[in-house]
Amino acid sequence: MRYFILSDIHANLEALEAVLGAVHRGDYDEVICLGDLVGYGANPNEVIDRIRGLNPAVIIRGNHDKVASGIETAKDFNPIARLAARWTHDHLTPANQAYLADLPRGPQLVDDLIEVCHGTPYDEDAYIFSEEDGLLSLATSRRPLCLFGHTHVPLVLRMGAEGLEMDDLATTGPHTVTIPPNGRYLVNPGSVGQPRDGDPRAAYAMVDTEARSMTLFRQAYALDEAQRKIFSAGLPAVLAQRLGVGR
Ligand code: ZN
């Protein structure tokens, strides 16, 4: 099975369309979405409609999906994220609000190889920032390959003989990892719609379960158009500016 992995789209339609345009329908069998369809960007309804049209095999909710749909308050959000969540909540159609509210909570088991979560396998809203977070996630994950999002930073962590090891991700070109029989991997494909690793290009990934391989890709998109929409929607200007620098 070949999975097309999308995470943290954040209502950025231009980034999503560029990623979908870069991938041919015959290149994958199913879509997996790791949450945060909305929040920050100016096209929440269009992004949700596009994802619904792809009929993902597995999709889980992100923290922004919960707040934008109204099932959770924005008390843990910073002021900018809170403003964006309020704007998103006010602009979602009732049907899309209901769709977000009904998204399942992570972690979810996909098959014998893959488990998915938004934040971590032990807490859907926690972040994997430190070595300790990575070790705890690997210890609680129930599959050789645990996919996560939430930090918007592509990351490949694996359990090596000496402990936790991290792949050096190339700044240009795709990065492929192959999961050995006894391998334990924790991988963030990066964010489609709001990358934070200093590379403004949209990030996505492909997993081939038969080959036990995963490849991380980057794709340039019309980010000036995404920025223009954020400005004209009256969303905080910093949300447009950060897209330009990928932070
Ligand atoms: Zn996110």
Side-chain angles (χ1 to χ4, degrees), residues 8 10 35-36 40 63-64 118 150 152 196:
D8 295 279
H10 283 288
D36 275 1
Y40 300 136
N63 50 324
H64 286 260
H118 183 65
H150 202 26
H152 300 204
R196 295 179 190 164

PDB file of all heavy atoms in Angstrom, residues 8 10 35-36 40 63-64 118 150 152 196, ligand 1:
ATOM      1  N   ASP A   8      -0.922  19.286   8.846  1.00  0.00           N
ATOM      2  CA  ASP A   8      -0.874  20.726   9.144  1.00  0.00           C
ATOM      3  C   ASP A   8      -1.028  21.599   7.890  1.00  0.00           C
ATOM      4  O   ASP A   8      -0.146  22.394   7.561  1.00  0.00           O
ATOM      5  CB  ASP A   8       0.426  21.039   9.901  1.00  0.00           C
ATOM      6  CG  ASP A   8       0.451  20.361  11.271  1.00  0.00           C
ATOM      7  OD1 ASP A   8      -0.160  20.897  12.206  1.00  0.00           O
ATOM      8  OD2 ASP A   8       1.045  19.267  11.384  1.00  0.00           O
ATOM      9  N   HIS A  10      -3.544  23.821   7.517  1.00  0.00           N
ATOM     10  CA  HIS A  10      -3.842  25.153   8.066  1.00  0.00           C
ATOM     11  C   HIS A  10      -4.485  26.117   7.070  1.00  0.00           C
ATOM     12  O   HIS A  10      -4.072  27.284   6.972  1.00  0.00           O
ATOM     13  CB  HIS A  10      -2.580  25.750   8.695  1.00  0.00           C
ATOM     14  CG  HIS A  10      -2.260  25.154  10.036  1.00  0.00           C
ATOM     15  ND1 HIS A  10      -3.008  25.425  11.161  1.00  0.00           N
ATOM     16  CD2 HIS A  10      -1.312  24.269  10.425  1.00  0.00           C
ATOM     17  CE1 HIS A  10      -2.519  24.741  12.181  1.00  0.00           C
ATOM     18  NE2 HIS A  10      -1.496  24.026  11.766  1.00  0.00           N
ATOM     19  N   GLY A  35      -4.001  15.896  10.686  1.00  0.00           N
ATOM     20  CA  GLY A  35      -4.695  16.926  11.456  1.00  0.00           C
ATOM     21  C   GLY A  35      -4.242  18.347  11.206  1.00  0.00           C
ATOM     22  O   GLY A  35      -3.270  18.597  10.505  1.00  0.00           O
ATOM     23  N   ASP A  36      -4.997  19.281  11.809  1.00  0.00           N
ATOM     24  CA  ASP A  36      -4.848  20.725  11.568  1.00  0.00           C
ATOM     25  C   ASP A  36      -5.089  21.063  10.099  1.00  0.00           C
ATOM     26  O   ASP A  36      -4.212  21.573   9.403  1.00  0.00           O
ATOM     27  CB  ASP A  36      -3.498  21.249  12.066  1.00  0.00           C
ATOM     28  CG  ASP A  36      -3.520  21.609  13.544  1.00  0.00           C
ATOM     29  OD1 ASP A  36      -4.584  21.429  14.190  1.00  0.00           O
ATOM     30  OD2 ASP A  36      -2.486  22.076  14.057  1.00  0.00           O
ATOM     31  N   TYR A  40      -5.075  29.690  10.883  1.00  0.00           N
ATOM     32  CA  TYR A  40      -4.015  30.551  10.328  1.00  0.00           C
ATOM     33  C   TYR A  40      -4.297  31.023   8.898  1.00  0.00           C
ATOM     34  O   TYR A  40      -4.120  32.187   8.594  1.00  0.00           O
ATOM     35  CB  TYR A  40      -2.630  29.885  10.347  1.00  0.00           C
ATOM     36  CG  TYR A  40      -2.117  29.497  11.698  1.00  0.00           C
ATOM     37  CD1 TYR A  40      -1.520  28.257  11.909  1.00  0.00           C
ATOM     38  CD2 TYR A  40      -2.213  30.375  12.788  1.00  0.00           C
ATOM     39  CE1 TYR A  40      -1.025  27.892  13.162  1.00  0.00           C
ATOM     40  CE2 TYR A  40      -1.720  30.010  14.038  1.00  0.00           C
ATOM     41  CZ  TYR A  40      -1.128  28.769  14.213  1.00  0.00           C
ATOM     42  OH  TYR A  40      -0.641  28.399  15.441  1.00  0.00           O
ATOM     43  N   ASN A  63      -5.199  20.153  17.088  1.00  0.00           N
ATOM     44  CA  ASN A  63      -5.706  21.083  18.102  1.00  0.00           C
ATOM     45  C   ASN A  63      -6.477  22.243  17.481  1.00  0.00           C
ATOM     46  O   ASN A  63      -7.476  22.710  18.029  1.00  0.00           O
ATOM     47  CB  ASN A  63      -4.558  21.588  18.992  1.00  0.00           C
ATOM     48  CG  ASN A  63      -3.369  22.116  18.221  1.00  0.00           C
ATOM     49  OD1 ASN A  63      -3.021  21.598  17.158  1.00  0.00           O
ATOM     50  ND2 ASN A  63      -2.744  23.155  18.734  1.00  0.00           N
ATOM     51  N   HIS A  64      -6.046  22.715  16.302  1.00  0.00           N
ATOM     52  CA  HIS A  64      -6.766  23.817  15.647  1.00  0.00           C
ATOM     53  C   HIS A  64      -8.134  23.375  15.132  1.00  0.00           C
ATOM     54  O   HIS A  64      -9.078  24.170  15.124  1.00  0.00           O
ATOM     55  CB  HIS A  64      -5.930  24.397  14.502  1.00  0.00           C
ATOM     56  CG  HIS A  64      -4.776  25.218  14.986  1.00  0.00           C
ATOM     57  ND1 HIS A  64      -4.800  26.591  15.033  1.00  0.00           N
ATOM     58  CD2 HIS A  64      -3.565  24.834  15.474  1.00  0.00           C
ATOM     59  CE1 HIS A  64      -3.648  27.030  15.527  1.00  0.00           C
ATOM     60  NE2 HIS A  64      -2.882  25.983  15.799  1.00  0.00           N
ATOM     61  N   HIS A 118      -1.449  13.300  16.025  1.00  0.00           N
ATOM     62  CA  HIS A 118      -1.190  14.707  15.678  1.00  0.00           C
ATOM     63  C   HIS A 118       0.044  15.207  16.443  1.00  0.00           C
ATOM     64  O   HIS A 118       0.980  15.714  15.851  1.00  0.00           O
ATOM     65  CB  HIS A 118      -2.413  15.587  15.977  1.00  0.00           C
ATOM     66  CG  HIS A 118      -2.183  17.016  15.560  1.00  0.00           C
ATOM     67  ND1 HIS A 118      -2.014  17.376  14.242  1.00  0.00           N
ATOM     68  CD2 HIS A 118      -2.044  18.155  16.274  1.00  0.00           C
ATOM     69  CE1 HIS A 118      -1.789  18.689  14.166  1.00  0.00           C
ATOM     70  NE2 HIS A 118      -1.798  19.184  15.386  1.00  0.00           N
ATOM     71  N   HIS A 150       2.058  18.597  14.088  1.00  0.00           N
ATOM     72  CA  HIS A 150       1.932  19.531  15.206  1.00  0.00           C
ATOM     73  C   HIS A 150       3.077  20.543  15.340  1.00  0.00           C
ATOM     74  O   HIS A 150       2.844  21.704  15.624  1.00  0.00           O
ATOM     75  CB  HIS A 150       1.772  18.741  16.503  1.00  0.00           C
ATOM     76  CG  HIS A 150       1.130  19.455  17.648  1.00  0.00           C
ATOM     77  ND1 HIS A 150       0.251  20.510  17.500  1.00  0.00           N
ATOM     78  CD2 HIS A 150       1.242  19.267  18.999  1.00  0.00           C
ATOM     79  CE1 HIS A 150      -0.145  20.923  18.703  1.00  0.00           C
ATOM     80  NE2 HIS A 150       0.438  20.185  19.617  1.00  0.00           N
ATOM     81  N   HIS A 152       5.271  21.249  12.888  1.00  0.00           N
ATOM     82  CA  HIS A 152       5.492  21.835  11.549  1.00  0.00           C
ATOM     83  C   HIS A 152       6.958  21.767  11.112  1.00  0.00           C
ATOM     84  O   HIS A 152       7.375  22.522  10.244  1.00  0.00           O
ATOM     85  CB  HIS A 152       5.018  23.298  11.486  1.00  0.00           C
ATOM     86  CG  HIS A 152       3.564  23.488  11.776  1.00  0.00           C
ATOM     87  ND1 HIS A 152       2.861  24.584  11.318  1.00  0.00           N
ATOM     88  CD2 HIS A 152       2.671  22.751  12.468  1.00  0.00           C
ATOM     89  CE1 HIS A 152       1.596  24.507  11.721  1.00  0.00           C
ATOM     90  NE2 HIS A 152       1.467  23.397  12.432  1.00  0.00           N
ATOM     91  N   ARG A 196       7.783  25.469   9.411  1.00  0.00           N
ATOM     92  CA  ARG A 196       8.509  26.253  10.419  1.00  0.00           C
ATOM     93  C   ARG A 196       9.976  25.845  10.539  1.00  0.00           C
ATOM     94  O   ARG A 196      10.601  26.042  11.574  1.00  0.00           O
ATOM     95  CB  ARG A 196       7.831  26.104  11.793  1.00  0.00           C
ATOM     96  CG  ARG A 196       6.436  26.687  11.840  1.00  0.00           C
ATOM     97  CD  ARG A 196       5.800  26.494  13.204  1.00  0.00           C
ATOM     98  NE  ARG A 196       4.380  26.852  13.167  1.00  0.00           N
ATOM     99  CZ  ARG A 196       3.508  26.498  14.104  1.00  0.00           C
ATOM    100  NH1 ARG A 196       3.903  25.793  15.151  1.00  0.00           N
ATOM    101  NH2 ARG A 196       2.241  26.848  13.996  1.00  0.00           N
TER     102      ARG A 196
HETATM  103 ZN    ZN B   1      -0.529  22.706  13.212  1.00  0.00          ZN
END
